[in-house]
Amino acid sequence: MDKTKIKSFQTTLENMAREISRQANEQDRRAIVVETSAEQCEQDVLAAQRDMAVQSLSRRTRLLRDVNAALARIREGSYGECLECDGPIGERRLRAVPQARHCIACQERMEGSSQCSFRVQWAA
Ligand SMILES: [Zn+2]
């Protein structure tokens, strides 16, 4: 991939990292509001809100980690290579998911297996 394209992916990733941090700050403020209005809320509603906040926080944390890892790969010069098979991730996929760590074939294989462990977790 040429330097101009990598540069544009870098800009996209940097914007994503900024946006995720901004959302994180907003969510923290909302969480505080939930805490202070606890008396008016049913306990289970409050618990559900907290669960949702935790879930979206961990989703965001994962995303931010992936974005930062992609920026690190740009610096190392290995951006756009699949971490699993070393093949090219593909420009179309990177345009849709600039923080992608794996090519589509590896990603699909891994999503298949992670869905299994997800079901096992819920069944347990
Ligand atoms: Zn791969």
Side-chain angles (χ1 to χ4, degrees):
M1 221 186 309
D2 67 58
K3 281 199 158 60
T4 321
K5 277 177 189 160
I6 293 199
K7 185 78 198 156
S8 88
F9 281 123
Q10 185 177 9
T11 309
T12 307
L13 286 159
E14 281 166 355
N15 288 338
M16 283 172 80
R18 251 196 308 277
E19 178 65 13
I20 296 162
S21 307
R22 193 184 61 77
Q23 285 174 3
N25 289 337
E26 275 179 14
Q27 179 113 29
D28 287 347
R29 277 199 294 276
R30 270 204 301 276
I32 291 162
V33 171
V34 169
E35 291 299 335
T36 53
S37 62
E39 282 175 0
Q40 300 147 31
C41 294
E42 296 286 342
Q43 282 303 312
D44 56 348
V45 172
L46 195 62
Q49 281 176 339
R50 206 179 283 132
D51 281 357
M52 263 159 53
V54 169
Q55 270 171 31
S56 91
L57 183 71
S58 70
R59 239 198 331 269
R60 218 169 26 228
T61 306
R62 255 199 318 271
L63 182 60
L64 188 59
R65 194 193 58 199
D66 286 351
V67 167
N68 283 328
L71 284 166
R73 289 198 298 279
I74 288 177
R75 285 193 295 273
E76 289 163 5
S78 62
Y79 182 71
E81 292 166 17
C82 174
L83 295 186
E84 188 73 16
C85 68
D86 290 332
I89 292 177
E91 226 181 287
R92 256 184 70 206
R93 173 156 162 75
L94 287 172
R95 265 202 295 273
V97 191
Q99 78 278 16
R101 287 176 297 171
H102 301 107
C103 70
I104 196 84
C106 292
Q107 182 69 40
E108 278 174 357
R109 204 173 55 235
M110 277 179 287
E111 270 172 11
S113 60
S114 78
Q115 271 165 11
C116 283
S117 66
F118 190 64
R119 275 199 298 274
V120 171
Q121 270 175 15
W122 278 105

